[in-house]
Amino acid sequence: MSQYKFLITSSPHIHSGESVQKIMFSVAGALLLPTLAGVYFFGTRALILVITATLAAVATEAIFQKLRGKPVTVWDGSAIVTGMLLALNVTPALPVWMVVVGSVVAIGLGKMIYGGLGMNPFNPALIGRVFLTVTFPVQMTTWINPVDGTTGATPLALMKMQGVPTDYYKLFIGNVGGCLGETSALAVLVGGLYLIYKGYVDWRIPVSYIGTVAVLTFILGKDPIFHILAGGLLLGAFFMATDMVTTPVTKLGRIIFGIGAGIFVVLIRLYGGYPEGVSFSILLMNAFTPIINRLTVPRIYGEVKTR
Amino acid sequence: MLKTFKGGIHPPYNKELTKHKPVEKAKLPQRVVIPMSQHVGAPCEPVVKVGDHVKVGQKIGEAKAFVSAPIHSSVSGKVVAIEPRPHASGAHVMSVVIESDGTDEVYEGVKPPKPLEELTPDEIKNLIREAGIVGMGGAGFPTQVKLSPPADKKIDTIIVNGAECEPYLTADHRLMVERPEDVVLGLRAIMKATGVNRAYIGIEDNKPDAIEAMKEAVKSFSDIEVVPLATKYPQGGEKQLINAVTGREVPSGGLPMDVGVIVDNAGTCAAIANVLKTGMPLIERITTVTGAGVKEPKNLLARIGTPVGELIEQCGGFAGEPGKVIMGGPMMGISQSSLEVPVMKGTSGVLVLQKSEVKTLEPMPCIKCARCVDACPIHLLPTYLGKFAEKGMWDEAEKYHALDCIECGCCAYVCPANIPLTQLIRLAKNRILASKKK
Ligand code: SF4
Ligand code: SF4
């Protein structure tokens, strides 16, 4: 009986089986829904964009890690998520090489220079997107109409520039111009709810974020339903404002994060120069995340007020 | 709604292996190794010499300090060695080794005391101390010390911990099903010793038969209430239990008595009952020998000092290739390198995991998913504490309340990045405490 060698480790001796990989692949899986919606409405060019962006993101990460002599960890799935998110956040009319540039920037400048997974303060996909918006302003805002592929404006732009509303049903299903992945509110919702159900997304962020936009637009005399369904709010609220790495770890902090992002979106959409404000609102709140964390440290069990 | 606390986890409980198996008397060991330190507090000093003949229940280790508990022989036979031996903590601890003569002769001094009704509180406390009774849930705090709080701490509530929230373990479960009246007798002795007339018995609702049995046993005592609790780990943690049952919070750095509560384990109550009924000190306990790594998991009534290897043999030996032998449960137990380590007063279980079940998981970077934050029953930020420990930032760790960590293991259990959070925080605690001593 004594011939065995037993493993000695510190407790606990069991593990939930949860892993970074599982989380990332579940997010990627949920992102397939808006991807499929994008492909349905915009055709194969959408598919090509998503695949290219993803491959470019993974390749960038691998190359960076190789160059620095670090172990290559692309199998953790986080680069896949970044690549997909970036593609879902660009116009389906974007030239393919540009999305590759976006992926390289997202992973390189958005993630690897900070030290890789878990270290980046800002959502990498949004870094990529903002870079593209600034560098290729024309291409990034050339929107196309679903199905026929003719150029057109997004519902938010129509509303902002010409005061033309788009009907809710179209917005909900996705038959409107806009970013590849934000066109169908339905697809985003189903994917997001799946992640909430799996426990990979805290409902507090999408609820406080979307709720704030709804309340504020209503108070300011705008149409809240339109503002929720149009543009990238849903995609941002469920998939980007909930990125674990760049959002607060406390529950209260997440609510504050959502409210803050909601306020920024409304400010930008109604008073800013851009018709859309989701990306900036999330990046801005990413910057506040460390402070929010510090200010919302929970009261511990048995903590007694000292002075 | 069932009573519970905030935070915690739902690991697989794996109690089916033994929860319906009646307690069996383990075979009398041929040789016992009885450590002189089985409790929180000062170790005992051996009061026997090599070559001495001892009997069952005879004192072999004297507790000199107030926070300590004497130790008795669990067999009759000859003292063959007094030397440091492997201990469940991983260290070598002074132990008395006794070769059994197989007669199991009881020491003359072991006699039933007066009935409980005639005992004074001080007599009860003295009986408990002399019987070497300590907390049997694992921590091993001397029970009599708990029952003697300083005069300025007014105790108004006794809670019997029957939660048994550690996965796999069913020792308390079987005890409550099979001998509920002993638990109640022990509890009444505690109530009398402390002059408290309100008591609760907290049991997780995954043990409906134990809840039933205990309810039946307390029927005629209006001052004792059985409280079913939500099944959630660590429901049986002292602080969580107090919070669930009374709504009170033990202040940070304080003790249950600071909120007027004394918590005692169900097994401890039964051990007290045993003293009252027979006079026999604490020389045996129920321990669950379980896990996929043993052929036939059982609840065994084992003598203190029995090498765990013998218990495993009595359960049919190993099933498959064993990978880990754990004293206690999978969340807080200690992995062992030797099968020689003896059963102690606080050994609630011996868990054997198969080699295929034990994986060493590669840590990854923290993705700030906050699972650890949500799971921590103390509402700490384990992700921060882990990082501070990794970087040696002990002051920061202390500021973020590392010392309040109860080492329950929830954070490490849930972490998708496999960061050994509990281990890191334990390290931080040790460092902080060490620097305080200076
Ligand atoms: S559970 Fe692990 S990965 Fe998640 S925040 Fe805590 S330490 Fe980081
Ligand atoms: S081990 Fe400590 S930090 Fe981790 S969950 Fe338990 S109490 Fe919290």
Side-chain angles (χ1 to χ4, degrees):
Chain A
M1 239 173 135
S2 53
Q3 75 272 33
Y4 297 111
K5 197 136 178 52
F6 306 120
L7 187 67
I8 307 293
T9 57
S10 182
S11 65
H13 305 284
I14 49 176
H15 188 263
S16 57
E18 207 58 81
S19 72
V20 173
Q21 220 173 343
K22 260 194 202 167
I23 294 175
M24 293 301 169
F25 279 97
S26 300
V27 175
L31 283 174
L32 280 178
L33 280 164
T35 304
L36 289 175
V39 174
Y40 177 79
F41 288 111
F42 300 111
T44 36
R45 58 182 315 135
L47 188 63
I48 292 169
L49 276 176
V50 175
I51 293 176
T52 323
T54 307
L55 291 179
V58 171
T60 308
E61 179 158 307
I63 290 167
F64 257 87
Q65 288 171 332
K66 266 258 150 29
L67 287 181
R68 293 192 162 186
K70 295 233 174 93
V72 174
T73 57
V74 290
W75 41 261
D76 66 26
S78 57
I80 297 176
V81 170
T82 300
M84 288 180 83
L85 268 177
L86 175 70
L88 295 176
N89 267 295
V90 298
T91 161
L94 194 75
V96 171
W97 69 269
M98 284 187 187
V99 88
V100 172
V101 172
S103 279
V104 172
V105 170
I107 296 289
L109 293 182
K111 183 176 175 189
M112 302 317 284
I113 58 160
Y114 295 108
L117 179 66
M119 312 296 280
N120 50 298
F122 298 104
N123 188 319
L126 289 178
I127 294 282
R129 180 187 185 187
V130 167
F131 178 85
L132 291 178
T133 310
V134 176
T135 319
F136 311 113
V138 179
Q139 290 86 340
M140 276 297 280
T141 49
T142 303
W143 308 105
I144 52 175
N145 290 321
V147 194
D148 62 3
T150 54
T151 52
T154 66
L156 275 175
L158 282 175
M159 181 67 121
K160 185 158 186 134
M161 309 304 167
Q162 299 155 32
V164 180
T166 309
D167 76 69
Y168 296 157
Y169 181 75
K170 266 187 155 181
L171 285 171
F172 188 65
I173 297 301
N175 201 2
V176 291
C179 284
L180 208 165
E182 62 191 36
T183 181
S184 168
L186 177 66
V188 173
L189 263 179
V190 173
L193 290 177
Y194 165 76
L195 290 182
I196 290 177
Y197 162 77
K198 290 280 280 185
Y200 295 154
V201 156
D202 186 346
W203 58 267
R204 287 176 184 82
I205 292 179
V207 167
S208 58
Y209 190 5
I210 298 168
T212 303
V213 172
V215 170
L216 274 185
T217 45
F218 180 75
I219 292 175
L220 295 170
K222 306 290 174 194
D223 176 355
I225 299 177
F226 173 80
H227 274 278
I228 291 171
L229 294 179
L233 181 64
L234 289 177
L235 186 69
F238 282 102
F239 288 98
M240 292 184 293
T242 55
D243 168 42
M244 296 164 175
V245 173
T246 55
T247 50
V249 294
T250 63
K251 291 184 175 124
L252 177 62
R254 293 184 186 146
I255 293 175
I256 295 173
F257 185 98
I259 293 175
I263 292 173
F264 280 125
V265 166
V266 175
L267 285 181
I268 296 170
R269 279 189 183 176
L270 299 187
Y271 306 107
Y274 287 97
E276 176 59 301
V278 170
S279 301
F280 283 114
S281 75
I282 296 171
L283 285 172
L284 276 166
M285 290 313 290
N286 285 163
F288 283 113
T289 293
I291 300 172
I292 296 176
N293 273 335
R294 220 165 307 138
L295 294 180
T296 56
V297 172
R299 189 192 76 90
I300 71 161
Y301 175 108
E303 188 170 359
V304 250
K305 279 189 204 84
T306 41
R307 269 159 286 139
Chain B
M1 262 266 290
L2 282 166
K3 296 198 165 170
T4 190
F5 62 99
K6 247 174 68 192
I9 55 170
H10 296 278
Y13 287 96
N14 288 314
K15 295 196 190 247
E16 318 70 46
L17 292 172
T18 49
K19 74 175 184 192
H20 296 301
K21 293 194 182 160
V23 176
E24 257 177 61
K25 253 183 168 3
K27 260 194 263 142
L28 208 58
Q30 272 161 13
R31 169 186 278 244
V32 287
V33 177
I34 304 180
M36 290 293 105
S37 177
Q38 306 186 22
H39 47 261
V40 174
C44 287
E45 280 170 31
V47 289
V48 288
K49 299 182 304 296
V50 174
D52 280 3
H53 190 86
V54 294
K55 293 179 183 165
V56 182
Q58 182 175 343
K59 191 187 282 182
I60 56 172
E62 182 67 84
K64 294 256 165 72
F66 175 62
V67 182
S68 188
I71 287 165
H72 305 81
S73 177
S74 57
V75 294
S76 68
K78 206 169 97 193
V79 177
V80 294
I82 300 177
E83 60 192 25
R85 287 289 183 111
H87 182 268
S89 68
H92 277 61
V93 166
M94 189 56 74
S95 305
V96 174
V97 185
I98 302 164
E99 192 89 52
S100 166
D101 58 15
T103 62
D104 214 18
E105 205 181 320
V106 173
Y107 180 59
E108 300 75 31
V110 174
K111 282 193 288 281
K114 289 185 282 188
L116 180 57
E117 292 69 41
E118 295 167 27
L119 290 169
T120 66
D122 280 335
E123 284 171 332
I124 298 171
K125 283 189 228 175
N126 202 40
L127 276 173
I128 290 174
R129 167 150 179 125
E130 279 309 304
I133 291 172
V134 302
M136 288 169 76
F141 196 81
T143 301
Q144 175 266 147
V145 178
K146 252 195 218 179
L147 302 186
S148 318
D152 60 325
K153 306 283 179 200
K154 192 86 197 82
I155 304 297
D156 61 8
T157 306
I158 309 285
I159 303 176
V160 174
N161 191 347
E164 201 166 53
C165 60
E166 268 271 7
Y168 287 98
L169 304 186
T170 56
D172 289 345
H173 183 175
R174 289 312 307 177
L175 170 69
M176 290 186 287
V177 170
E178 294 175 34
R179 286 160 47 202
E181 64 296 334
D182 279 1
V183 177
V184 176
L185 177 59
L187 171 57
R188 281 173 46 225
I190 292 171
M191 292 168 73
K192 184 157 184 193
T194 51
V196 172
N197 50 22
R198 188 168 53 168
Y200 302 96
I201 303 175
I203 308 173
E204 281 189 346
D205 71 334
N206 62 352
K207 297 180 259 296
D209 50 348
I211 293 174
E212 270 322 297
M214 289 310 312
K215 276 193 172 154
E216 188 60 38
V218 300
K219 243 191 191 153
S220 47
F221 303 101
S222 59
D223 45 4
I224 306 178
E225 188 189 327
V226 174
V227 184
L229 303 165
T231 300
K232 184 166 75 168
Y233 179 86
Q235 185 68 73
E238 209 165 54
K239 293 179 168 182
Q240 285 62 44
L241 184 69
I242 291 171
N243 189 227
V245 172
T246 66
R248 301 177 197 172
E249 275 187 22
V250 181
S252 166
L255 290 167
M257 65 180 179
D258 294 324
V259 288
V261 179
I262 291 175
V263 179
D264 274 305
N265 177 266
T268 310
C269 292
I272 294 172
N274 203 32
V275 180
L276 293 174
K277 288 184 355 192
T278 65
M280 182 58 82
L282 179 49
I283 54 130
E284 61 185 0
R285 66 156 299 141
I286 306 172
T287 189
T288 305
V289 183
T290 185
V294 288
K295 278 223 178 76
E296 204 193 321
K298 285 179 181 173
N299 298 297
L300 290 175
L301 182 63
R303 296 287 165 96
I304 305 297
T306 311
V308 297
E310 264 180 47
L311 297 184
I312 294 169
E313 256 164 48
Q314 284 175 51
C315 294
F318 290 129
E321 191 177 342
K324 229 187 219 187
V325 175
I326 298 157
M327 294 285 260
M331 292 303 296
M332 293 187 75
I334 304 173
S335 58
Q336 303 295 321
S337 58
S338 158
L339 294 173
E340 293 295 310
V341 292
V343 169
M344 299 196 299
K345 293 174 181 177
T347 307
S348 42
V350 177
L351 169 63
V352 183
L353 298 177
Q354 284 194 347
K355 190 139 200 188
S356 56
E357 290 178 288
V358 299
K359 294 182 204 89
T360 21
L361 300 163
E362 263 316 300
M364 296 180 59
C366 167
I367 56 166
K368 311 199 181 106
C369 66
R371 287 185 140 57
C372 55
V373 178
D374 294 344
C376 180
I378 305 293
H379 318 144
L380 303 172
L381 299 175
T383 164
Y384 282 23
L385 294 173
K387 222 162 289 166
F388 295 147
E390 267 173 0
K391 295 191 181 152
M393 298 163 66
W394 314 120
D395 290 349
E396 284 292 303
E398 190 180 358
K399 221 171 80 203
Y400 277 80
H401 308 287
L403 290 181
D404 285 88
C405 166
I406 58 168
E407 302 179 27
C408 65
C410 290
C411 50
Y413 174 84
V414 297
C415 179
N418 308 322
I419 301 170
L421 293 163
T422 308
Q423 194 179 348
L424 287 167
I425 299 167
R426 206 177 279 138
L427 174 76
K429 285 174 70 175
N430 289 339
R431 284 305 184 87
I432 297 167
L433 289 175
S435 72
K436 287 218 155 136
K437 274 198 195 114
K438 268 190 223 134

